[in-house]
Amino acid sequence: MALWNQRNLDPPVVLNAPCKSKNIKSQISALTKTSTSMLNYYSTLNTFEKAAAYETRFVNRFKYRLRNMHGFQIMRRVNQTLIRIKNMDLVQVIMDLHSFLPESEYIPQTVNLPVRSNLEYLLVRMQGLCKLLMRVVYLTKEAARFHVKQIVNMHLYPTYVMFLGLMGELWLFSRSVCRRTVQFYEELYPALEILPDTKMSWLPEHYQLPVSLAAWLGEEYERDILQCGDANGATSSNWLGSEGDADLFTLLQHSTTDGEEQLLSRKQETEQANKSVEEAPSFSSVPKALLLQSLRSDTGEVVERKGRNALPTQFDAKRLEHIRSKFHVQQFLKQERTNRTDSPAKALTKGLSEQQFGDFNVRLMKEFNRLSSVEFVKFFKEQFLQLVTEGT
């Protein structure tokens, strides 16, 4: 099996080594900027991850009802590919490399750089990522063909319209991420020459990393990722294999790569605008009289009344004299919890809510191992008296 195709590929040890930066400062600065850009890009693919989460949810939701449908079977393969992409955890691999790189603005004469095997491992994972993304592009198009036929036949129309929209979103984002990955690969590859080498090579003896990832991916990359139309530059009106007029799908296409990038940026801007609108406070649902009353400086006198389960103002501390060790505290809390459930009238904390009693237990557990037995008992009694008298 090829190295890039191994799911559980053993990574090399994350190491760094001192290196003279006299003649390679520009290359080191470029490597740092590229790794920073990669971190910013791959860690902010929230929309793509959200679409992948919808795909997983749909597959689990309809796995019994549509298990014999060919298009749904393809969607299950898409979901499996997306899970493998997520399990690669490319952001962590980039972080391991980036943590040893210096700042791009200031590079000392002697700098510790990551060894070459760490960058080789990242490049190999990027090869596998591109292959998986190209598989997502191919499978989503195949699933979309089937969904269109079902929509034309008016079979489960709302469901297949939803599936078709999701396939289109995954197809669009997979193409964009694949193009950016190829671009990052071409920027990282020249840095192999400046990184220090180790005594034992991580790559197999006859394995060589491709200089150009686009050339290594071949015609499939040019056909499915780069090109948006046919050989003459015009979009095909029957790319989904639908019969008859397909003007709707022609309108959904983009003849250039820039059109897709503009669509992605427009989608992200729309989501950010919607998020800001949702977070903005709105007073449209507040009654006018209540709103005016809240704006007044004097709202009247606040009257406090004791409820049925009001806390006692005094508590006899002698009722805790039998507690002399951590074991006694544990037994007391266990008995108190049982009384609160079975016999609330017998509980000493009957006027407290579950949240207050739970916070009290959390405070005790934080100090259980730190304090000695005598100090812990003293701390417990102070906290318990404060709890039953003040409710805090």
Side-chain angles (χ1 to χ4, degrees):
M1 182 181 294
L3 193 65
W4 59 266
N5 199 24
Q6 296 182 17
R7 185 187 308 178
N8 299 321
L9 181 62
D10 294 331
V13 180
V14 181
L15 296 174
N16 63 347
C19 182
K20 298 292 184 179
S21 63
K22 182 177 180 180
N23 300 322
I24 57 174
K25 287 187 177 181
S26 59
Q27 292 91 328
I28 296 176
S29 178
L31 177 60
T32 303
K33 292 180 180 179
T34 302
S35 63
T36 304
S37 301
M38 293 178 66
L39 280 177
N40 294 334
Y41 179 74
Y42 288 108
S43 60
T44 55
L45 294 176
N46 299 328
T47 310
F48 185 36
E49 294 176 355
K50 186 177 180 180
Y54 277 125
E55 168 72 9
T56 302
R57 179 56 183 163
F58 288 161
V59 168
N60 292 331
R61 178 67 176 80
F62 297 95
K63 62 181 179 180
Y64 297 116
R65 187 186 308 177
L66 303 176
R67 61 184 182 275
N68 294 327
M69 307 299 288
H70 179 66
F72 185 75
Q73 293 175 359
I74 298 178
M75 289 182 61
R76 297 182 65 177
R77 293 159 62 187
V78 173
N79 179 56
Q80 188 65 32
T81 306
L82 293 173
I83 292 176
R84 291 177 181 176
I85 292 176
K86 184 176 180 60
N87 292 337
M88 290 181 67
D89 198 6
L90 191 65
V91 175
Q92 184 60 43
V93 180
I94 301 172
M95 182 64 71
D96 293 339
L97 179 73
H98 183 75
S99 60
F100 288 125
L101 294 176
E103 295 291 338
S104 58
E105 291 78 8
Y106 173 73
I107 301 176
Q109 294 182 355
T110 302
V111 59
N112 289 328
L113 295 178
V115 295
R116 187 177 303 175
S117 58
N118 298 140
L119 181 56
E120 291 173 346
Y121 176 71
L122 175 59
L123 295 178
V124 170
R125 301 308 281 176
M126 293 175 70
Q127 285 182 277
L129 176 62
C130 285
K131 283 289 188 178
L132 291 175
L133 290 171
M134 291 173 61
R135 179 171 175 81
V136 172
V137 171
Y138 172 76
L139 291 177
T140 50
K141 187 185 294 187
E142 292 297 319
R145 287 195 178 99
F146 179 84
H147 297 335
V148 169
K149 293 179 181 179
Q150 300 301 319
I151 292 173
V152 172
N153 296 331
M154 299 300 292
H155 177 65
L156 296 177
Y157 184 86
T159 302
Y160 281 106
V161 167
M162 182 173 56
F163 287 170
L164 180 61
L166 181 60
M167 292 298 101
E169 189 173 12
L170 290 173
W171 176 83
L172 184 66
F173 279 105
S174 298
R175 285 164 55 93
S176 177
V177 175
C178 188
R179 285 194 295 265
R180 291 298 299 272
T181 303
V182 171
Q183 179 183 355
F184 287 138
Y185 183 95
E186 294 178 353
E187 295 177 3
L188 287 176
Y189 184 83
L192 287 173
E193 300 178 356
I194 65 173
L195 296 182
D197 200 358
T198 55
K199 295 181 180 180
M200 296 183 61
S201 177
W202 176 76
L203 288 176
E205 184 177 357
H206 300 290
Y207 190 90
Q208 291 184 355
L209 291 170
V211 179
S212 175
L213 186 57
W216 179 76
L217 294 173
E219 297 180 357
E220 185 180 357
Y221 174 75
E222 296 182 2
R223 182 182 66 252
D224 294 339
I225 306 300
L226 295 182
Q227 296 182 3
C228 297
D230 54 14
N232 298 326
T235 57
S236 174
S237 61
N238 200 25
W239 69 284
L240 287 175
S242 58
E243 299 178 358
D245 191 7
D247 294 337
L248 173 62
F249 307 108
T250 304
L251 292 175
L252 292 177
Q253 289 183 343
H254 300 275
S255 57
T256 60
T257 304
D258 295 336
E260 293 184 8
E261 297 296 338
Q262 292 177 3
L263 179 61
L264 292 173
S265 61
R266 194 184 313 125
K267 180 178 178 61
Q268 294 175 355
E269 292 175 359
T270 304
E271 291 182 352
Q272 293 177 358
N274 294 336
K275 185 177 180 180
S276 61
V277 170
E278 292 176 358
E279 293 177 353
S282 176
F283 299 100
S284 59
S285 60
V286 181
K288 185 177 180 180
L290 184 60
L291 183 60
L292 292 176
Q293 183 180 1
S294 64
L295 296 176
R296 294 175 183 172
S297 59
D298 185 11
T299 57
E301 182 182 359
V302 179
V303 179
E304 297 182 356
R305 295 183 177 87
K306 291 186 178 181
R308 295 179 57 186
N309 295 331
L311 294 173
T313 56
Q314 294 182 354
F315 179 79
D316 189 5
K318 294 182 179 180
R319 303 175 68 176
L320 303 178
E321 289 184 353
H322 66 283
I323 301 177
R324 299 180 180 179
S325 65
K326 292 183 179 180
F327 176 76
H328 292 160
V329 174
Q330 292 177 335
Q331 294 297 321
F332 176 82
L333 293 177
K334 183 178 179 181
Q335 183 64 33
E336 184 67 18
R337 191 176 293 107
T338 303
N339 291 338
R340 287 175 60 88
T341 305
D342 300 337
S343 304
K346 298 180 181 180
L348 300 179
T349 58
K350 58 183 178 181
L352 298 173
S353 63
E354 286 296 329
Q355 182 178 0
Q356 292 174 321
F357 188 71
D359 294 341
F360 168 69
N361 281 269
V362 170
R363 291 198 300 269
L364 293 180
M365 291 302 104
K366 287 182 179 180
E367 305 294 336
F368 187 82
N369 294 326
R370 190 179 68 86
L371 300 178
S372 63
S373 182
V374 177
E375 294 175 345
F376 182 76
V377 171
K378 182 179 179 181
F379 175 76
F380 161 74
K381 292 181 179 180
E382 293 176 354
Q383 293 294 320
F384 189 81
L385 290 175
Q386 182 180 357
L387 178 69
V388 296
T389 55
E390 301 178 6
T392 57

